[in-house]
Amino acid sequence: MIGLISATAAGAAARDRLAAAWPDRTRVYDGPVGDAARRAFGECEQLVCFLATGAVVRLVAPLLAGKTTDPGVVCVDEAGRHAVALLGGHGGGANDLARAVGEVLGAEPVVTTATDAAGLPGLDTLGLPVEGDVAGVTRALLDGEPVALATEVPWPLPPVPFAAEGAHTVRLTDRAVRAGEREVLLRPPSLVVGVGASRGAPVEEVLGLVEGALRDAGLSVRSVAELATVDAKAGEPGLVGAAERLGVPLVTYTAEELAAVEVPNPSDAPLAAVGTPSVAEAAALARGGELLVPKRKSERADGQPAMVTCAVVRRPARGRLAVVGLGPGARDLLTPRAKAELRRASVLVGLDQYVDQIRDLLRPGTRILESGLGAEEERARTAVAEARKGQAVALIGSGDAGVYAMASPALAEASDDIDVIGVPGVTAALAAAAVLGAPLGHDHVSISLSDLHTPWEVIERRVRAAAEADIVVTFYNPRSRGRDWQLPKALGILAEHRAPTTPVGVVRQASRPDESSRVTTLGELDPAWVDMMTVVTVGNTATRTIAGRMVTPRGYRWQTTAEEAR
């Protein structure tokens, strides 16, 4: 919950705007600001104070307990011009909160955390448990000193400018080791603990067995990602309680799924009880991995039979491939989600000219793999291969990456051993349509006239179908020096079904500084106006030119009614 505090009418107005935008996330604290601050500080995970920074400092200073427990505090001036991350920038989430408040109120976020200012991800913001000399190693990174990455367990990380060797070290490990001097340990969620339990097994027996198995194997409990068991035990209190105490989910599989998993130590007992010869080992191995601790049973002080079994598996790291659409070229048409993925990726793969568009958005340490025109399949294979190594990869394309771009060749290469995330972008057709007016107001289709990958016979059949169906058509890749006859041919097919007065829009370099456009007609269009940086939109029989803009009505009935009204 986010506590909201204000002292004046102006502050209350900005406070109420934020409360209206986030009704389920915020709570307004009225009354004297001192009392309100004390109550909110003790009850909320974050605070937004619509007060001067000096006033907020004096209010919260007596309440501070520690960096890991204090809520994040954002201070917004009463005019709503700035949102200052005042306290708990990383641990309390104040940096992200300041940015989010800024988006709602139109305020400028002010973030002074050193790593954020330098464009580096904080070691305590990587989403992994962290131990050791975080301040010292972070300072070394900020000072440009070499910091080595020791990867004992491959795991996708955002870009950090690590060196091959250095006096400081970041160690990615799931082993139960202590951080050395000038060292930080990152704990990846690489361990899965499979657990079988008799009815009524106490939570202490489950936890004792799990923690003992990890300790004996030299593994860190902070790297446990989940407990896994058979679905018949999903509600077993001992398992549910153990998962809650460990802070991990309890994942279940059907007996049929577990029975299909090959294990080294099958048993008749679970087969008779729940229908699978293995629960602990099979549940741990259900998604693959390396069996580190074979099935073992709990030991009870009263000499009674064991009620719990467990096994531990190190699961393979799943790389992450984000297929990112950059939009038509204008920076303000690049989506916030695309920007976030670019900053998250440790490896960027893309066409050189597209890399140049967003190079300034990448974090220091991002590895860039760029290539020229005509290497689409190579880039797709490279991106997938890097993701399979456990990397966080961004594969970029113009417009929307799924429209005549990199998503389809990449997904054709990818299998289910990596995570794939699609990030939509503004397409050239949409950018051009916004320039032209509203040509896509009814059914529309995009057709590429490039026959480099598609036989012309197929393209012609699609153009003819669109012509006969009276659908608005946007032509991509309409004309190049080596392909100058396809556009006239396609326009001729449309002319068999549409009048010469049919509106046509021609937009070159949509949304870019040298953008140009014109609205003409099917009969007057000169193909010489068109090149590969152009999209051509041909209206249907209902499309009209109104005040110099192309307009396709939402329906023919609507068009008829409008004409009758005139």
Side-chain angles (χ1 to χ4, degrees):
M1 186 61 65
I2 303 171
L4 306 182
I5 301 169
S6 62
T8 66
R15 176 203 68 192
D16 292 344
R17 286 171 57 200
L18 192 62
W22 298 341
D24 299 327
R25 300 172 54 192
T26 56
R27 180 186 302 160
V28 174
Y29 284 80
D30 292 315
V33 291
D35 293 339
R38 282 189 292 273
R39 286 186 288 126
F41 205 88
E43 296 172 359
C44 297
E45 292 83 16
Q46 295 174 320
L47 276 68
V48 179
C49 301
F50 296 85
L51 301 163
T53 54
V56 178
V57 168
R58 287 189 291 272
L59 285 172
V60 303
L63 308 175
L64 301 181
K67 183 176 181 179
T68 60
T69 58
D70 293 334
V73 178
V74 170
C75 179
V76 179
D77 64 279
E78 294 186 347
R81 290 192 296 263
H82 299 92
V84 182
L86 189 67
L87 178 70
H90 284 165
N95 292 349
D96 290 337
L97 179 60
R99 297 184 183 102
V101 169
E103 289 185 7
V104 173
L105 301 181
E108 180 71 23
V110 179
V111 176
T112 59
T113 307
T115 50
D116 289 73
L120 293 171
L123 296 176
D124 54 351
T125 66
L126 300 181
L128 304 179
V130 59
E131 305 167 20
D133 186 13
V134 176
V137 174
T138 299
R139 186 165 52 251
L141 285 168
L142 290 170
D143 290 343
E145 298 180 25
V147 176
L149 176 65
T151 304
E152 297 180 2
V153 180
W155 208 261
L157 293 176
V160 180
F162 292 122
E165 297 180 353
H168 297 78
T169 304
V170 172
R171 188 176 304 278
L172 194 61
T173 181
D174 57 16
R175 295 188 299 115
V177 295
R178 292 182 178 274
E181 185 179 359
R182 293 182 294 188
E183 183 178 58
V184 164
L185 302 181
L186 294 178
R187 302 293 190 184
S190 55
L191 304 178
V192 177
V193 182
V195 185
S198 301
R199 181 178 299 175
V203 64
E204 291 78 11
E205 187 171 346
V206 178
L207 279 175
L209 177 61
V210 170
E211 292 172 349
L214 293 169
R215 182 174 56 252
D216 293 347
L219 299 170
S220 173
V221 70
R222 302 191 74 186
S223 280
V224 174
E226 61 191 40
L227 298 188
T229 191
V230 66
D231 59 2
K233 299 294 181 179
E236 189 63 44
L239 297 183
V240 173
E244 291 176 350
R245 296 262 286 271
L246 291 169
V248 299
L250 179 64
V251 177
T252 63
Y253 300 93
T254 66
E256 291 77 14
E257 289 174 320
L258 297 184
V261 178
E262 186 175 345
V263 297
N265 300 295
S267 173
D268 292 334
L271 180 61
V274 294
T276 173
S278 173
V279 172
E281 289 181 340
L285 288 165
R287 296 181 183 174
E290 176 188 3
L291 183 62
L292 302 179
V293 180
K295 181 179 70 176
R296 59 188 290 176
K297 298 181 180 180
S298 57
E299 297 180 1
R300 307 191 64 183
D302 57 9
Q304 295 298 311
M307 300 185 72
V308 185
T309 60
C310 84
V312 182
V313 163
R314 177 181 288 135
R315 66 180 181 181
R318 288 183 65 86
R320 189 176 191 275
L321 173 61
V323 186
V324 181
L326 300 181
R331 178 58 60 85
D332 59 353
L333 291 182
L334 178 66
T335 67
R337 188 181 300 180
K339 292 179 182 178
E341 288 294 346
L342 293 175
R343 295 180 65 78
R344 176 173 181 166
S346 59
V347 179
L348 181 86
V349 182
L351 179 67
D352 47 13
Q353 59 184 295
Y354 297 152
V355 172
D356 289 340
Q357 290 180 20
I358 48 84
R359 195 182 298 271
D360 61 301
L361 296 177
L362 305 178
R363 289 189 186 273
T366 304
R367 185 157 56 96
I368 299 174
L369 304 176
E370 55 187 313
S371 53
L373 288 168
E376 288 82 2
E377 288 79 5
E378 178 187 344
R379 286 194 291 275
R381 287 192 294 269
T382 297
V384 172
E386 290 292 329
R388 285 183 176 139
K389 296 176 184 176
Q391 301 285 351
V393 182
L395 174 63
I396 59 173
S398 66
D400 183 282
V403 179
Y404 304 122
M406 294 305 303
S408 53
L411 269 61
E413 289 285 336
S415 51
D416 61 0
D417 57 346
I418 61 173
D419 296 324
V420 178
I421 298 89
V423 182
V426 178
T427 68
L430 296 179
V435 172
L436 295 171
L440 309 183
H442 205 284
D443 296 337
H444 54 274
V445 63
S446 296
I447 299 177
S448 172
L449 294 183
S450 172
D451 54 1
L452 297 178
H453 300 285
T454 305
W456 175 254
E457 293 75 15
V458 174
I459 297 172
E460 181 174 340
R461 187 166 65 248
R462 292 170 179 172
V463 174
R464 195 169 298 281
E468 294 174 352
D470 197 27
I471 296 175
V472 176
V473 181
T474 297
F475 289 123
Y476 278 70
N477 305 312
R479 184 173 180 270
S480 68
R481 292 179 180 177
R483 295 185 303 99
D484 58 0
W485 59 268
Q486 287 89 343
L487 178 59
K489 177 67 174 179
L491 295 174
I493 294 171
L494 292 177
E496 295 174 10
H497 300 269
R498 302 179 194 184
T501 55
T502 300
V504 176
V506 179
V507 182
R508 187 178 188 279
Q509 298 279 35
S511 88
R512 300 188 183 188
D514 54 347
E515 170 188 289
S516 63
S517 67
R518 68 177 78 194
V519 176
T520 182
T521 66
L522 188 57
E524 296 176 349
L525 173 62
D526 184 352
W529 300 338
V530 178
D531 62 13
M532 284 291 287
M533 305 305 295
T534 307
V535 291
V536 177
T537 300
V538 182
N540 65 12
T541 57
T543 303
R544 298 290 183 267
T545 300
I546 302 174
R549 304 181 188 92
M550 285 181 69
V551 179
T552 302
R554 292 178 61 188
Y556 290 88
R557 182 179 302 172
W558 177 86
Q559 175 71 13
T560 302
T561 303
E563 289 176 347
E564 290 174 350
R566 289 199 296 268

